[in-house]
Each structure stands twice: as C-alpha cells, then as structure tokens.
C-alpha cells in the first residue's frame, strides 16, 4: 500500500509517494505559467488542474496500490466568478479538520488520474502548516522557514498571540494541528519564484544540458557550482527580495498606518 501527498503550489504542483512507514519513494512535478504583477498574481485554474491530473497519473501508473492521497495547497487565493457561473452552493466544500477523509475519487477523476475508485482523498491544510508539521515544529520554541515559490516564516505559538498586535502588522493567525497552538505567516513573494525566473532568463543553455542528462536545471547548476569550489559554501551573492514589490501586505516591509515595521516573533 502506498500513500500520496499532493501539494498544489503557486507555480507548480508536486505529487510525492510514500510507503506505509512514511518512507519517501518517488515524486512527480508539473509547473504552470503564472502572470505576475506588483498588484497580484494570476494563474488559470484549468491549467492548475491539468498539472494536478498529470502529476497524479504519472505516479499512479508506477504505483497502482495507492490507497490514499492527502491534499494541501497555497492560500490567500480565490477564483473570480459571479452569479455569469451558476454554481450550486450546495456543491461547495465544507471546512473540516486536518486529516479528515473528504471522500473517494470520482469516476471522472479516476479516468484522468489512473487512481483506484476506492482511493481515499484526505483534506490536509495550508501548505505552510504542512511544512511546519513536516519539519517537526510543534511548540513555541521554533519557527519554520519554508522556501517555496514564496519565502515564508511560520512561527508556532503555544497560545493565541495578541490579535490586536498581529492585526496591526497584517499577520494571519490560524489554529495549528495541535489543539491550543497557533501559527502565523510572514512571507515575501520573491522566494523560489525568483530562482525560477533566474534559470528561465539566464540559464537557458543549462536547462538544455540538464534535460539531456535527465536531471533538473537546479541540480545541474548546483553540480556545476560545486565542481568549481572545494566545498559547498554560499556564493556571497546578495539579492534583495523586491522583484514583486515591497509595499502592502507582505514582508519585508509590512507596515501599519503609522509605518512602523512589525515582526511576528
């Protein structure tokens, strides 16, 4: 029996397979084009679904005994529709606690993914909460640095922090998987997205060479850098995280009306 974690990210989705003991076996990844601007980011929902189906299908073909799939995704997003959509509100998902089985795979999804009809779909959480769990952060002594499309610091609180203070700093506070504990998000839009932009803009030849070797461009670049150094040390290159702007509701310069800087720690 195999279990799968599906992470629907901002610039791509990952489908990771584990055995019954939680040991990593394999993964598939698909990225999708994202329109970026200072005022916001936009991605076609149908493109996301195509990537999701492709990832799952690749893993289901190799591991036909997948028994369950847990789903996590990015937050602070929405799909713009009006009443021109005709959506039956009774079809909308209901919020449930992390780890709740939402149901089994639909017949339509079976055809697109290759999963068994009785594969259980489990509601997990926001991706940063999942990252905190995976990193083993379960009390207020630690915080997690999640380096995905965005760079996000997720501190854990042993009790609910002062909401008025957090509100002035525009920080979201949500319940954690452990009753009575909470987490907050402090993030910059320019995390892994900047690395992707750099490779697609400055490393086109390296992308071709990496494809010939059957490895990712990041792995190729890491190997090339390591071959020029006696040890793996930082390059000393400093990049300011302002490629998507700095003002507004994000770090590193989140501001309240009095323009004072705030920290969730």
């Amino acid at each position: 029996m195999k279990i799968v974690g599906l992470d629907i990210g901002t610039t791509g989705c990952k489908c990771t397979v584990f055995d019954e003991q939680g040991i990593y076996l394999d993964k598939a990844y698909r990225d999708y084009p994202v329109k970026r601007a200072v005022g916001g980011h936009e991605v076609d929902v149908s493109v996301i679904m195509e990537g999701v189906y492709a990832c799952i299908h690749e893993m289901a073909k190799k591991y036909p005994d997948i028994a369950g799939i847990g789903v996590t995704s990015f937050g602070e997003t929405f799909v713009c529709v009006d009443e021109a959509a005709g959506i039956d509100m009774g079809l909308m998902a209901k919020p449930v606690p992390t780890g709740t089985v939402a149901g089994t795979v639909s017949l339509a999804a079976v055809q697109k993914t290759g999963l068994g009809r009785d594969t259980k779909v489990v509601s997990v959480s926001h991706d940063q909460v999942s990252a905190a769990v995976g990193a083993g952060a379960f009390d207020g002594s630690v915080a997690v640095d999640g380096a995905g499309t965005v760079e996000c610091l997720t501190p854990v609180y042993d009790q609910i922090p002062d909401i008025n203070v957090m509100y002035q700093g525009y920080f979201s506070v949500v319940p954690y998987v452990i009753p009575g504990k909470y987490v907050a998000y402090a993030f910059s839009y320019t995390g892994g997205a900047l690395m992707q932009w750099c490779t697609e803009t400055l490393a086109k030849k390296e992308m071709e060479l990496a494809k010939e070797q059957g490895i990712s461009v990041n792995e190729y670049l890491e190997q090339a850098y390591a071959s020029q150094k006696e040890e793996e040390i930082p390059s000393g290159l400093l990049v300011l995280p302002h490629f998507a702007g700095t003002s507004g509701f994000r770090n590193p310069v989140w501001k309240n009306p009095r323009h004072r800087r705030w920290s969730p720690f």
Side-chain angles (χ1 to χ4, degrees):
M1 182 184 75
K2 307 297 187 300
I3 55 176
V4 168
L6 174 66
D7 177 30
I8 305 174
T10 311
T11 55
C13 57
K14 296 178 288 294
C15 185
T16 309
V17 182
F18 302 88
D19 65 14
E20 293 181 61
Q21 284 70 47
I23 298 175
Y24 164 80
L25 298 176
D26 206 346
K27 71 176 179 180
Y29 176 80
R30 297 290 189 281
D31 55 18
Y32 24 79
V34 179
K35 298 178 181 178
R36 301 186 183 280
V38 174
H41 300 180
E42 181 181 338
V43 61
D44 188 334
V45 176
S46 63
V47 174
I48 293 179
M49 292 308 301
E50 289 175 3
V52 167
Y53 288 137
C55 273
I56 298 175
H57 188 271
E58 181 179 339
M59 291 294 95
K61 187 176 181 180
K62 296 177 65 174
Y63 305 95
D65 59 338
I66 293 175
I69 178 168
V71 183
T72 180
S73 68
F74 53 86
E76 295 82 44
T77 55
F78 56 90
V79 178
C80 294
V81 298
D82 58 20
E83 60 275 7
I87 297 175
D88 179 359
M89 295 306 293
L91 298 176
M92 302 303 290
K94 297 179 180 179
V96 294
T98 293
T100 300
V101 176
T104 55
V105 182
S106 68
L107 290 175
V110 166
Q111 297 175 352
K112 294 181 178 180
T113 64
L115 292 172
R117 182 68 176 88
D118 58 348
T119 303
K120 292 181 173 59
V121 180
V122 180
S123 177
V124 181
S125 68
H126 186 292
D127 55 0
Q128 300 301 338
V129 173
S130 296
V133 173
F138 297 114
D139 60 52
S141 66
V142 293
V144 176
D145 180 10
T149 300
V150 304
E151 186 81 10
C152 183
L153 290 175
T154 306
V156 181
Y157 296 91
D158 294 323
Q159 59 186 8
I160 190 167
D162 189 326
I163 293 300
N164 291 325
V165 172
M166 301 299 284
Y167 175 77
Q168 292 180 56
Y170 304 122
F171 291 106
S172 297
V173 179
V174 300
Y176 197 28
V177 293
I178 301 175
K181 295 186 184 296
Y182 299 82
V183 296
Y185 312 124
F187 63 93
S188 168
Y189 285 149
T190 312
L194 175 56
M195 297 175 63
Q196 182 180 20
W197 178 86
C198 286
T199 55
E200 292 178 349
T201 306
L202 306 174
K204 288 184 169 61
K205 182 61 177 179
E206 288 79 1
M207 292 177 68
E208 294 178 1
L209 295 173
K211 186 176 181 179
E212 292 176 0
Q213 297 182 24
I215 60 176
S216 69
V217 65
N218 290 334
E219 185 176 354
Y220 179 90
L221 292 172
E222 289 170 358
Q223 293 177 357
Y225 178 76
S227 67
Q228 300 174 16
K229 302 288 182 178
E230 295 182 359
E231 56 181 332
E232 293 186 9
I233 57 175
S235 65
L237 179 66
L238 176 65
V239 179
L240 296 179
H242 302 331
F243 280 63
T246 61
S247 62
F249 307 113
R250 56 187 175 272
N251 290 118
V253 286
W254 286 14
K255 299 178 180 180
N256 72 348
R258 297 183 181 180
H259 303 289
R260 291 182 295 181
R261 297 187 180 186
W262 290 85
S263 168
F265 301 98

